[in-house]
Amino acid sequence: NEYIAWFFSLPLYLDLNEFRVVHACWDGKEITFLKDRLPDAIMDEDFLHQSSKPGTKEFKAIESCLKGHEIFLPQGLNYVDVDGVKRNKVRVKWWKPINSETYRSIALHNSMSVPDIKVPLKYLQKLICYPPDEVPVFVGHYWNSGNPSILSPNVCCVDYSIAKDEKLVAYRWNNEKQLNNANFVFQECIEN
């Protein structure tokens, strides 16, 4: 009960004018819905119940903000992720301008096993792109590895898989509008 009460005290996102924070994806349309539905960005019990029901607006907003966007591969196609799980959807780089793309080029983790075939325009048109003129947004969720680097000039992920013995990563923001790899600080995981 204590943990549940604590979770009910946490905001789903932070919009602090000069920068933003969200778990996985800043989707302006879904954030606007959340601002209207939960003015203080704090989930209540009714919202929690609605967000667990596929097809509701609450479910869609939570899926977007806490997991990011995914698109299905063409029927019959799949790939195997780094954990050996067979997938028929790819999580997309929501910070990347969308042009003529292949599933591999928009996949969050460009595994060679993701099909390198064109994504139909009707699916591309449904994807969002975080505008390059928006304030910086900081996310986690994506379990990166290697040297920390920004995702785009105004999008930064600080999740570098500390739970998988990688790094604990932070970004020292100095009011800059264009993020800089030099502002990452991190600590390698120390073995027990």
Side-chain angles (χ1 to χ4, degrees), residues 24-180:
C25 174
W26 193 276
D27 179 328
K29 181 179 173 189
E30 300 304 337
I31 295 292
T32 297
F33 168 75
L34 290 173
K35 284 179 180 179
D36 291 344
R37 178 73 168 73
L38 304 168
D40 59 1
I42 304 289
M43 188 182 316
D44 56 31
E45 272 195 63
D46 179 58
F47 187 93
L48 175 64
H49 290 294
Q50 290 301 313
S51 71
S52 68
K53 298 175 185 175
T56 64
K57 291 178 181 179
E58 293 84 353
F59 181 88
K60 186 177 177 199
I62 292 299
E63 285 286 300
S64 174
C65 295
L66 298 186
K67 290 173 55 180
H69 292 282
E70 294 179 314
I71 60 171
F72 279 99
L73 292 169
Q75 189 168 356
L77 292 181
N78 57 60
Y79 73 99
V80 178
D81 71 13
V82 296
D83 295 318
V85 177
K86 190 185 249 186
R87 306 264 181 200
N88 64 351
K89 295 190 280 189
V90 293
R91 188 153 295 151
V92 300
K93 299 173 184 169
W94 52 270
W95 55 86
K96 180 183 188 294
I98 302 296
N99 298 307
S100 175
E101 303 287 345
T102 68
Y103 288 94
R104 187 179 300 160
S105 71
I106 64 171
L108 184 60
H109 295 290
N110 280 343
S111 166
M112 292 306 287
S113 66
V114 175
D116 198 26
I117 58 175
K118 287 229 180 236
V119 179
L121 186 59
K122 66 181 180 179
Y123 299 127
L124 288 177
Q125 291 172 336
K126 294 179 183 179
L127 298 177
I128 67 151
C129 173
Y130 189 71
D133 58 342
E134 290 283 348
V135 300
V137 62
F138 296 90
V139 299
H141 183 66
Y142 294 117
W143 289 70
N144 293 308
S145 61
N147 288 329
S149 62
I150 59 172
L151 301 175
S152 77
N154 63 341
V155 179
C156 176
C157 180
V158 293
D159 189 337
Y160 277 78
S161 310
I162 188 64
K164 288 189 175 184
D165 299 330
E166 282 275 343
K167 299 172 190 60
L168 184 62
V169 174
Y171 183 92
R172 286 191 175 138
W173 183 68
N174 298 304
N175 297 315
E176 69 270 18
K177 298 227 183 278
Q178 296 246 325
L179 303 175
N180 185 328

